[in-house]
Amino acid sequence: MDVLFNSINVRDLLSSHDLDESSPLSAPDLRLLIDRLQFQSLQIKSKVQAYLLSHHADFSDLFSRCSESASRSEQISDSVSNLLALISDHPVDAEIRDMVSEIEKTMKELKAKRELLGLVKVIVQLSERLKSVQEDLKNGRLLSAAEAVRDLKKVVGSVAGEREPVVYGLLRKEWAECFEEIQGILVKFMENAVRFEREPNKLRVKLRLSVDGGTHGVELHTIMEAMDMVGILDYGLAKVADLMIKHVITPAVDCGSPISFTEETNQDSGQKTEMILKIVSCDPKLEKDDVDIIYSKIIMVIKFCYKSICFQNGSWMRCFGRLTWPRIAEIIILNFLSKVVPDDASKLADFQKIVKCTSEFETVLKEMMFISASDNKDERLSNFAQNVEVHFASRKKTEILAKARNFLLQCDFAVPQEYMRTSPKLKYSGIAEHSSDHVVDLLFLSERCVVSEAASQLMALVHQTLQDVCLSSVKVALEFYHAARDAILLYEAVVPVKGKFLAYLERQLDGINQAAVLIHNDCLYLSQEILGLAFKYRSEFPSAIREHAVFLDMAPRFHLMAGEVLQRQIQLVIFNLKKAIDGADGFQNTHQMQQYESAKFSIDQVVFILEKVHIIWEPVLLPSTYKRSMSMVLESVFSRMTKDILLLDDLAAEETLQLQRLIHLMLESLSSLLESLIVADQKGTSQEGFTNPLDNLIPSLNKIRKLADLLDMPLKSITIAWESGELVRCGFTPSEMEDFIKAIFADSPLRKECLWRIEIANF
């Protein structure tokens, strides 16, 4: 049968196999193809027939089995139909289902009733046990009552749950009442057991207490055990702890009224009934550094509590320690340790005795389990004592910053009279030769300047602090180093430049005064000193500090502050001068008497302001700073006046003479000021090779002087001066000269020639 499943290749039936797939077949090829296909079909049919004949028996058996299966399926279908008909006539399954449902319902009801019965039994038992607690409390059976309260808490819980029976809430309420009752009784027992009697000044601990005045009593140990069982040991011992702190521990640490302790015991029938700790005053007075006596007294008190109250029970003692130790440690630190912290670094070694005694004291407390042996936080006294260097340094740092702040707040930033320009002492000797706390050397400028008392005191304090850094341990040195930095930065905080100055200094900074330039000198001095600190002290610092000590970062801040203060003053002076010059109304019509007087008044105001600035600045500022600042101010004045005069478009002959007179008047009035600039320039730099140093300092000075000459110079001379380049060297431009000539000289061939020669001149 394989031939039936194989495909027939049509091309195999053709005579030629090299035909193109896309080319059509010819008629002979088609006829040949049809004949061969018919032949192939006949072959297939014959093969199929032969296969069927050879397997005839197999096909017959297959067909018989199919017939039997079909008949059996019909029989099963008939049987199922009969069964369904029988069931539908008699519904037994419904009855069975109803019976099963009834049984399940009955079983659920039975289970619920059993559970409810069990719950009722539990509730009854809990109620009876709660009643037994009250009975035990009445009869003094505290341990039994405490055990019942502890166990019932696990059953009823302390917080209501969701969808719980109402009776549980009632039981919980009843348990809470029992808990409050037993808590109140136990606390009352503790209050009666431990009492402080002021009159005999003693602490009394009763070891056995009576119940409601009856003959039978309860032991203090039993009360402690019951409180521990109920979980109120902290609450029960809280008042005892307060009593011990107030009446026993605090007097023991008070160095002003020394006391001692003695123990007594009262017995009845051979049994101890009371333990008494008596407080007795003693003489002589306790010395401040007698640490052994203080610690021994406290140990005696704690041992008394360990034996008579906690009965040498470690967990009870630990609870009592948690209540009292933080306050005891605080009292010891406040009243004793903090007062014996050395005031001098040389005494730090003597403090090691106190450190050793403190460590031994806390070791004894650990042995009594009063403090934890594993928690370092409980070593409060040792931590404080071992860090005494830090405490010492912290105290000194506070003192240093307080001193620095006082220096700054108490300083009025006023220049002493001997440094005023009018002082004969300064006039003949000068600042460089003057010796005082107000005159300091600038390390990197080779000059001296006047500073405020606050700045000199501040730097003296910083130098002293850094010297202590060189002699101190690492911890102390680190604190001193930060103290020195903070003291310097206090100047910036207390005497700020930008709007946060003290009220009276704020007004001074907004005006022309010596306080502002004195602050400039302070900032300059501080920046110079800061740059030198590392060079002077770093090599002597402890090695751990040497790598981290930095001062250089602060120097630029103060240098900028100095520049800002000075620039603010310069701008203020220039503003006032421009305002004064504005009163001259551009120097117009000065040939008229009223306008001339107005211009002269403006010139007088300018001279007055400049002289005031001269008096204020010269004795305080460095010569180089004074020269630079005053030159900027004068340049603004001369350039403004020159510009206003050159802008005049029509000048009468008399008007030019009046303008010339005003210029000469101003220059003559400022002669002493200009002379001071020459002196300052000679101090600051070498002027060899310069005939007139003012020409370099104030370029407009030469220009305004030349302008005064031009005002009465003939046109021909002006032309010659221009062509020679003299006017150009003085700062005149061609346009300025053309406008100036047009304003003074009437139109004429000579003026035209002059203007033409100015225009063609090439410089």
Side-chain angles (χ1 to χ4, degrees):
M1 290 300 290
D2 295 339
V3 70
L4 298 177
F5 303 102
N6 293 332
S7 61
I8 299 174
N9 191 350
V10 176
R11 294 187 178 277
D12 293 341
L13 302 178
L14 297 175
S15 58
S16 59
H17 300 285
D18 56 352
L19 294 175
D20 189 5
E21 292 182 359
S22 61
S23 62
L25 297 174
S26 62
D29 290 336
L30 289 173
R31 284 193 293 272
L32 177 61
L33 181 61
I34 292 170
D35 292 340
R36 290 186 177 181
L37 286 173
Q38 289 178 350
F39 177 74
Q40 287 285 343
S41 177
L42 291 175
Q43 283 184 341
I44 292 171
K45 288 179 180 179
S46 62
K47 288 182 180 180
V48 169
Q49 184 178 7
Y51 183 81
L52 292 175
L53 291 175
S54 62
H55 296 82
H56 182 269
D58 296 331
F59 282 107
S60 297
D61 184 52
L62 179 62
F63 292 147
S64 62
R65 288 181 180 180
C66 290
S67 177
E68 289 178 1
S69 298
S71 62
R72 287 178 182 174
S73 298
E74 291 178 358
Q75 291 176 1
I76 292 172
S77 177
D78 293 339
S79 298
V80 171
S81 299
N82 294 334
L83 180 60
L84 293 174
L86 179 62
I87 292 173
S88 61
D89 294 339
H90 303 281
V92 179
D93 60 332
E95 295 178 2
I96 294 173
R97 185 172 63 251
D98 293 341
M99 291 177 65
V100 170
S101 299
E102 187 68 24
I103 291 171
E104 289 179 352
K105 183 178 180 182
T106 304
M107 292 297 293
K108 288 181 179 179
E109 291 177 355
L110 180 61
K111 183 179 180 181
K113 289 180 179 179
R114 286 177 179 175
E115 291 178 351
L116 185 59
L117 180 61
L119 178 61
V120 171
K121 289 181 179 180
V122 171
I123 292 172
V124 171
Q125 291 176 357
L126 293 176
S127 180
E128 290 177 352
R129 196 162 187 193
L130 285 170
K131 291 179 180 179
S132 69
V133 170
Q134 296 177 348
E135 190 67 25
D136 290 339
L137 290 176
K138 290 180 181 179
N139 296 326
R141 295 189 293 271
L142 297 179
L143 285 180
S144 178
E147 184 179 2
V149 170
R150 180 193 61 189
D151 296 340
L152 287 171
K153 181 181 179 180
K154 299 177 182 178
V155 178
V156 300
S158 57
V159 181
E162 296 181 1
R163 301 176 62 184
E164 68 175 10
V166 178
V167 69
Y168 261 59
L170 298 175
L171 289 173
R172 188 178 297 106
K173 182 179 179 182
E174 189 174 352
W175 175 87
E177 292 175 354
C178 291
F179 177 81
E180 291 178 0
E181 184 178 359
I182 190 173
Q183 178 178 266
I185 291 173
L186 293 174
V187 171
K188 187 176 180 181
F189 272 130
M190 284 303 300
E191 291 178 359
N192 293 330
V194 183
R195 287 181 174 275
F196 181 79
E197 300 176 358
R198 289 182 177 276
E199 193 60 33
N201 210 21
K202 62 184 177 181
L203 182 71
R204 185 184 300 273
V205 179
K206 295 181 180 180
L207 302 180
R208 185 174 182 83
L209 298 99
S210 61
V211 180
D212 295 333
T215 56
H216 62 283
V218 60
E219 300 288 340
L220 178 58
H221 185 278
T222 303
I223 297 171
M224 293 288 293
E225 192 174 354
M227 288 194 300
D228 190 16
M229 193 175 295
V230 178
I232 62 168
L233 193 60
D234 288 355
Y235 183 76
L237 290 175
K239 289 189 177 181
V240 176
D242 292 341
L243 184 146
M244 296 295 296
I245 294 293
K246 182 178 180 180
H247 297 291
V248 182
I249 297 297
T250 301
V253 183
D254 188 2
C255 299
S257 55
I259 58 173
S260 62
F261 300 100
T262 58
E263 293 186 22
E264 295 181 358
T265 304
N266 292 337
Q267 296 185 353
D268 186 11
S269 302
Q271 293 185 348
K272 294 180 180 180
T273 57
E274 284 185 342
M275 298 286 290
I276 300 173
L277 182 68
K278 297 184 70 174
I279 303 175
V280 182
S281 299
C282 63
D283 287 322
K285 287 188 176 182
L286 181 68
E287 294 295 333
K288 260 191 170 182
D289 59 347
D290 205 344
V291 64
D292 293 330
I293 297 177
I294 292 178
Y295 287 158
S296 63
K297 288 191 296 184
I298 297 175
I299 289 173
M300 184 177 181
V301 173
I302 294 174
K303 281 184 177 180
F304 176 81
C305 297
Y306 182 58
K307 293 184 296 182
S308 60
I309 299 177
C310 297
F311 300 97
Q312 301 183 5
N313 184 300
S315 62
W316 297 352
M317 191 62 178
R318 186 70 194 92
C319 176
F320 186 69
R322 283 194 299 269
L323 293 172
T324 56
W325 177 239
R327 288 184 286 175
I328 292 175
E330 184 179 357
I331 291 171
I332 294 174
I333 291 173
L334 183 63
N335 294 341
F336 175 66
L337 288 181
S338 62
K339 294 181 178 179
V340 296
V341 172
D343 295 328
D344 191 349
S346 61
K347 298 179 181 179
L348 287 175
D350 298 336
F351 193 79
Q352 293 305 312
K353 175 189 174 184
I354 296 177
V355 175
K356 181 181 178 182
C357 292
T358 302
S359 178
E360 294 173 352
F361 169 66
E362 288 183 337
T363 301
V364 174
L365 299 185
K366 290 177 182 178
E367 292 173 355
M368 290 187 289
M369 287 168 283
F370 185 71
I371 62 176
S372 174
S374 57
D375 191 357
N376 292 333
K377 292 182 180 179
D378 278 350
E379 297 177 355
R380 298 169 183 263
L381 301 183
S382 294
N383 291 337
F384 182 90
Q386 290 170 0
N387 291 330
V388 67
E389 289 185 338
V390 177
H391 301 309
F392 163 74
S394 179
R395 177 192 291 179
K396 295 294 290 184
K397 179 180 178 181
T398 303
E399 294 176 0
I400 291 168
L401 295 181
K403 285 183 180 179
R405 185 173 181 273
N406 289 334
F407 291 157
L408 296 170
L409 291 178
Q410 294 172 5
C411 182
D412 58 0
F413 291 91
V415 179
Q417 186 64 32
E418 61 267 24
Y419 300 104
M420 299 296 290
R421 182 170 171 264
T422 56
S423 171
K425 193 173 182 180
L426 182 70
K427 183 176 180 180
Y428 294 108
S429 62
I431 291 179
E433 291 77 16
H434 204 278
S435 176
S436 172
D437 293 337
H438 290 275
V439 179
V440 295
D441 293 312
L442 299 179
L443 297 180
F444 299 96
L445 294 179
S446 300
E447 292 184 273
R448 309 190 82 195
C449 71
V450 180
V451 296
S452 67
E453 185 179 8
S456 61
Q457 290 176 334
L458 179 65
M459 282 314 302
L461 181 63
V462 169
H463 283 293
Q464 181 60 49
T465 303
L466 294 179
Q467 290 172 9
D468 292 339
V469 171
C470 301
L471 302 174
S472 303
S473 62
V474 174
K475 290 182 179 179
V476 177
L478 185 62
E479 289 294 321
F480 282 173
Y481 159 70
H482 287 295
R485 281 184 58 93
D486 293 345
I488 296 173
L489 294 175
L490 266 179
Y491 191 96
E492 183 183 15
V494 178
V495 190
V497 175
K498 296 181 179 179
K500 296 181 181 178
F501 201 76
L502 298 175
Y504 71 96
L505 284 182
E506 179 65 33
R507 292 192 297 270
Q508 291 184 2
L509 280 176
D510 285 336
I512 304 171
N513 58 85
Q514 285 183 324
V517 291
L518 196 62
I519 293 171
H520 161 270
N521 283 2
D522 285 354
C523 295
L524 184 63
Y525 167 62
L526 291 175
S527 68
Q528 294 279 305
E529 287 293 311
I530 290 168
L531 290 174
L533 292 177
F535 296 101
K536 187 172 183 179
Y537 296 107
R538 184 189 294 273
S539 60
E540 302 296 329
F541 282 174
S543 57
I545 305 296
R546 195 179 305 144
E547 300 175 358
H548 305 286
V550 177
F551 297 99
L552 189 63
D553 60 307
M554 297 187 293
R557 299 166 65 169
F558 285 95
H559 191 75
L560 289 174
M561 287 171 60
E564 288 175 357
V565 172
L566 184 61
Q567 190 62 30
R568 186 172 173 180
Q569 281 288 291
I570 293 173
Q571 294 302 323
L572 180 62
V573 171
I574 292 175
F575 173 79
N576 290 335
L577 289 171
K578 287 183 176 179
K579 190 175 179 181
I581 296 174
D582 289 340
D585 194 20
F587 298 96
Q588 300 181 66
N589 302 319
T590 53
H591 60 288
Q592 299 176 6
M593 183 57 63
Q594 185 177 357
Q595 290 298 112
Y596 175 78
E597 291 296 333
S598 176
K600 185 176 181 299
F601 179 74
S602 296
I603 295 296
D604 291 340
Q605 280 188 310
V606 169
V607 172
F608 175 77
I609 294 172
L610 290 173
E611 279 297 330
K612 179 182 177 182
V613 174
H614 178 204
I615 293 171
I616 292 173
W617 285 5
E618 185 183 17
V620 179
L621 290 176
L622 294 175
S624 57
T625 306
Y626 168 73
K627 175 189 66 177
R628 183 175 65 253
S629 303
M630 186 58 77
S631 298
M632 291 175 60
V633 171
L634 290 173
E635 176 66 20
S636 69
V637 173
F638 296 153
S639 61
R640 169 66 188 277
M641 288 185 62
T642 304
K643 179 181 176 182
D644 287 353
I645 294 173
L646 289 175
L647 286 175
L648 297 175
D649 55 0
D650 187 13
L651 293 172
E654 185 180 353
E655 190 174 358
T656 58
L657 295 176
Q658 295 287 41
L659 289 173
Q660 186 184 54
R661 187 177 295 112
L662 288 173
I663 295 174
H664 288 159
L665 176 64
M666 180 186 67
L667 294 177
E668 183 179 353
S669 300
L670 296 176
S671 59
S672 62
L673 191 153
L674 296 174
E675 183 181 353
S676 69
L677 286 179
I678 296 174
V679 174
D681 191 60
Q682 291 173 349
K683 289 181 180 179
T685 58
S686 174
Q687 293 297 324
E688 294 180 3
F690 294 101
T691 57
N692 192 355
L694 291 180
D695 294 344
N696 300 308
L697 296 175
I698 313 167
S700 295
L701 175 60
N702 196 17
K703 186 174 182 180
I704 197 169
R705 282 174 172 169
K706 197 61 182 177
L707 178 61
D709 295 339
L710 291 175
L711 287 171
D712 65 349
M713 188 179 293
L715 187 58
K716 187 175 181 181
S717 300
I718 294 175
T719 306
I720 295 172
W722 176 262
E723 290 179 337
S724 66
E726 181 183 356
L727 299 181
V728 175
R729 288 192 294 272
C730 291
F732 289 96
T733 63
S735 61
E736 288 178 341
M737 290 307 304
E738 290 174 358
D739 293 340
F740 178 74
I741 291 172
K742 290 177 181 179
I744 295 179
F745 299 99
D747 189 14
S748 66
L750 182 60
R751 191 182 82 167
K752 289 180 181 179
E753 181 184 358
C754 181
L755 293 175
W756 175 76
R757 292 171 69 175
I758 291 174
E759 184 178 354
I760 65 172
N762 184 11
F763 295 102

